[in-house]
Amino acid sequence: MPEPVPSAARHRSSERAVRAEDKSFPACLLGRPITALDAPLSDFSTPLLVLDEQAMAHNLQVMADWTAERGLELMPHGKTTMAPVLWRRQLAAGCTGITLATGWQADLALRAGIPTVQLANACADPALLRRLAAHLAAHPEQELVCWADSLSTIDLLERELPPGARLGVLVELGADGARTGARDEATAREIAERVAASGVLELRGAAGYEGALAHDRSPEALEAVSTYCRRLAAFAESLRPLIDATPWVSAGGSAYFDLVADAFAPLTDMRAILRSGAYIVHDSGFYRGISPLDTTRDVAEEQALAPGMRAYARVVSLPEPGLALLDAGKRDVPYDEGLPTPLGVSPTLGGPEQPLDGEITALNDQHAFLRPAGTAQLAIGDVVTLGLSHPCTAFDKWRLIPVVDAATGTVREAVETFF
């Protein structure tokens, strides 16, 4: 068995200082610990992604209240941010664990000291399995629970895990045309029985992902998701006789967690666990249009999630009437679930803004094509504030992201990501 991996202390943001390689950070902050910054937003360069301190705190409280009222746990998907410092904020707000998507991500979370890690995927990498097992053997206070959707997966786990391993397993129930997951209950039950009889695996319950079945909130989409969630709940209930401890049932991305909550409501004496991860920063695009906790769903502002990330880009070219080129592109902002949305414009970064109507019509690697609406007048050097869509592909473009106090326009800390 390999030696246990080193502690994650080396990943803790308190030990990280600003470096010259950190995109758009000012020279005045070089060498400063990222938890002890003190600089106005105007010191930074563009393009720039920022997180909003007040919005994140608000969103953490909104989701904590919402889940508590329904008797649900939340193990948010850490792949959204890949930022241990934000995972710890989520745990401090009442989350009972962190979910990850790959074995490497799970390893990072365990080394970061996360007590409970759910791997919402199968790990079929022998070297990673041995590495995870070594860590768990050295840290009995932590637990890892992964998914499995086939007997072949169980064969691999039993072959590669060392004797005495203690890996929890959730049997993944899928649906026709979806992503992973056993396609029928009979197959899923066979997998569960095999796990329950294993010497190195522990059956914990059932899991699945409803988000692969729909992409909007049309009646057809909502019915497809609800039907699947009820199937998953019934399957989890059927596994009770095979499980010694309190069973888990887990679902819930950031789009349909209300439907998951409805399907899980009849379950008693079971750990009903959501995995919604984007809520911490929400967005101004895809999730704003589909999340059940947005003002577009007639939710009161104090009970709705708020956009907690935005970008700033500078006008670098006005080559023809009705077109402005900005200095942010695919390397800087997300674009897979909708292009950025212009919100305002200012002569300076962090300065007073005027509303800006218009549309980003395309992104190149380092340019955004802005078509201002009406009579908007832009000048070279103006800074445009951009609303963004899809947090999962925003964080991965930045190694270090400043957190802004919206009330003062001051950056006092930054979030380090690990992608």
Side-chain angles (χ1 to χ4, degrees):
M1 178 183 296
E3 291 296 318
V5 295
S7 164
R10 68 176 186 269
H11 291 311
R12 294 190 182 277
S13 293
S14 59
E15 298 182 5
R16 170 77 147 87
V18 176
R19 300 190 289 257
E21 297 81 9
D22 292 319
K23 183 165 60 173
S24 298
F25 273 71
C28 65
L29 293 180
L30 295 183
R32 293 281 297 274
I34 64 173
T35 55
L37 307 178
D38 187 6
L41 191 60
S42 58
D43 280 357
F44 287 73
S45 302
T46 57
L48 184 65
L49 175 71
V50 302
L51 306 179
D52 186 310
E53 175 63 44
Q54 286 83 352
M56 288 196 297
H58 169 82
N59 292 345
L60 288 169
Q61 189 62 56
V62 165
M63 200 63 171
D65 292 345
W66 193 91
T67 51
E69 288 169 3
R70 291 156 181 80
L72 299 168
E73 294 184 40
L74 180 59
M75 292 187 185
H77 222 315
K79 72 174 176 63
T80 299
T81 65
M82 285 306 296
V85 68
L86 295 183
W87 299 345
R88 295 185 190 104
R89 288 195 190 192
Q90 292 170 307
L91 293 173
C95 295
T96 56
I98 298 295
T99 300
L100 282 309
T102 71
W104 178 85
Q105 292 174 359
D107 177 63
L108 177 77
L110 289 170
R111 290 187 289 119
I114 303 303
T116 298
V117 175
Q118 180 180 176
L119 175 54
N121 208 340
C123 183
D125 184 318
L128 269 175
L129 284 169
R130 292 190 290 271
R131 184 173 178 175
L132 293 168
H135 182 95
L136 293 171
H139 296 275
E141 75 282 3
Q142 292 178 284
E143 65 175 335
L144 173 64
V145 178
C146 71
W147 292 12
D149 68 355
S150 72
L151 293 175
S152 296
T153 302
I154 306 307
D155 289 339
L156 187 148
L157 293 174
E158 291 187 323
R159 183 173 64 248
E160 299 297 339
L161 289 171
R166 50 183 184 89
L167 182 65
V169 173
L170 297 174
V171 177
E172 183 186 2
L173 181 68
D176 289 340
R179 198 164 63 187
T180 52
R183 290 314 199 233
D184 59 80
E185 282 79 352
T187 302
R189 175 75 184 196
E190 189 177 4
I191 298 166
E193 291 174 349
R194 174 74 178 277
V195 174
S198 175
V200 295
L201 306 174
E202 300 176 0
L203 181 63
R204 295 296 184 86
Y209 176 53
E210 75 292 339
L213 298 171
H215 208 68
D216 56 38
R217 293 190 77 90
S218 66
E220 296 79 11
L222 298 180
E223 180 57 32
V225 170
S226 295
T227 298
Y228 168 75
C229 291
R230 290 192 293 268
R231 281 183 58 213
L232 178 60
F235 174 65
E237 182 70 40
S238 75
L239 297 183
R240 284 185 188 271
L242 299 176
I243 302 173
D244 295 329
T246 303
W248 292 25
V249 59
S250 177
S254 296
Y256 304 109
F257 53 84
D258 55 330
L259 304 183
V260 175
D262 290 343
F264 287 0
L267 301 175
T268 58
D269 300 321
M270 189 174 291
R271 295 182 64 178
I273 302 168
L274 297 182
R275 303 188 306 275
S276 313
Y279 77 95
I280 189 169
V281 293
H282 197 44
D283 72 8
S284 301
F286 176 70
Y287 285 118
R288 184 181 183 191
I290 201 170
S291 169
L293 291 183
D294 192 87
T295 52
T296 57
R297 306 264 85 79
D298 294 325
V299 178
E301 188 170 346
E302 64 273 12
Q303 297 174 324
L305 299 173
M309 63 174 185
R310 59 185 177 273
Y312 295 97
R314 204 173 296 271
V315 177
V316 293
S317 178
L318 296 167
E320 62 186 59
L323 175 63
L325 277 300
L326 311 181
D327 64 352
K330 293 180 179 179
R331 303 275 176 86
D332 313 298
V333 294
Y335 55 91
D336 60 316
E337 292 287 2
L339 295 175
T341 303
L343 301 177
V345 61
S346 172
T348 59
L349 179 59
E353 291 185 355
Q354 295 295 322
L356 178 62
D357 292 328
E359 182 182 7
I360 300 293
T361 57
L363 293 179
N364 291 162
D365 286 352
Q366 308 288 182
H367 292 88
F369 290 70
L370 169 62
R371 303 279 180 180
T375 59
Q377 297 294 314
L378 299 176
I380 298 294
D382 280 354
V383 178
V384 176
T385 303
L386 298 171
L388 305 176
S389 179
H390 199 200
C392 296
T393 51
F395 280 79
D396 66 343
K397 295 170 176 56
W398 296 80
R399 286 182 287 188
L400 201 60
I401 308 172
V403 180
V404 177
D405 181 337
T408 64
T410 303
V411 174
R412 294 192 173 89
E413 65 175 309
V415 166
E416 185 180 18
T417 67
F418 295 90
F419 284 95

